[in-house]
Amino acid sequence: MRNPITPLGGTEMEILQEVWALGRATARDVHDRIAEQRDVAYTTVTTVIKNLADKGYLRYERDGATYVYTPARPAEEVRGSLLSTVVEKVFGGSARTLIQTLAGHESLTEAEQTEVRRLLAQLGTDPDTDA
C-alpha cells in the first residue's frame, strides 16, 4: 500500500501555486499558465482542480457555465503543514536536521548563508549550539 510523504502530489502543488498567484482562476486560466512551461492536458488540469476542491484546498463558484476557483487555505498554512509532515516523516521531527541537510546539500552563497543566520537569530535559534 502506498504511503505518500505528503497529501499533495507535484501537479497538485503546481496547480495550487497558480491559483494562489492568480487569486481567482478558471481551469483554463491555470492550464494556460502551466502550458507556458510544459505540456499538460486541459483535462488533467480540470481533474486535479476538482480533486483539490474535494480535498478542501480550493473553493469554487459557478459563473454561468464556468467554475471559478479560489484558495480555501492560504499558501503559508499549506506550506507549513506540508513542511511539518516532511520534517516529521523524513527528518524524525528535527527541524535542525532539515536545516543541516539543506545547508549541506544546496550550494548556498555567502549572502544566502548570512540571510539564513539572520533569520535563525530572529527566531532565537543558533544552529551551532541548539540540539
Side-chain angles (χ1 to χ4, degrees):
M1 178 177 225
R2 185 171 173 249
N3 184 13
I5 291 174
T6 65
L8 295 172
T11 301
E12 288 175 317
M13 279 305 304
E14 183 179 26
I15 287 173
L16 268 179
Q17 297 280 3
E18 296 300 342
V19 177
W20 286 325
L22 293 167
R24 290 175 51 86
T26 64
R28 176 63 58 201
D29 296 333
V30 172
H31 175 263
D32 290 349
R33 286 177 62 115
I34 293 173
E36 291 175 7
Q37 306 299 317
R38 67 178 182 93
D39 284 338
V40 62
Y42 176 75
T43 54
T44 298
V45 172
T46 59
T47 299
V48 173
I49 282 180
K50 288 175 187 172
N51 290 342
L52 286 168
D54 290 344
K55 289 180 176 183
Y57 291 95
L58 296 176
R59 290 188 187 100
Y60 62 90
E61 60 187 51
R62 281 187 74 119
D63 183 5
T66 305
Y67 287 94
V68 179
Y69 296 87
T70 56
R73 297 173 61 191
E76 289 309 310
E77 176 187 313
V78 173
R79 290 177 186 138
S81 174
L82 292 174
L83 185 57
S84 292
T85 301
V86 169
V87 168
E88 190 60 40
K89 289 184 177 181
V90 178
F91 298 96
S94 172
R96 177 187 174 96
T97 303
L98 167 67
I99 293 167
Q100 288 173 327
T101 301
L102 286 172
H105 187 268
E106 300 293 326
S107 55
L108 298 177
T109 66
E110 187 63 39
E112 290 169 328
Q113 290 175 14
T114 300
E115 179 65 8
V116 168
R117 286 186 193 99
R118 186 189 68 75
L119 290 170
L120 290 172
Q122 278 183 332
L123 295 171
T125 304
D126 182 350
D128 295 326
T129 61
D130 285 354

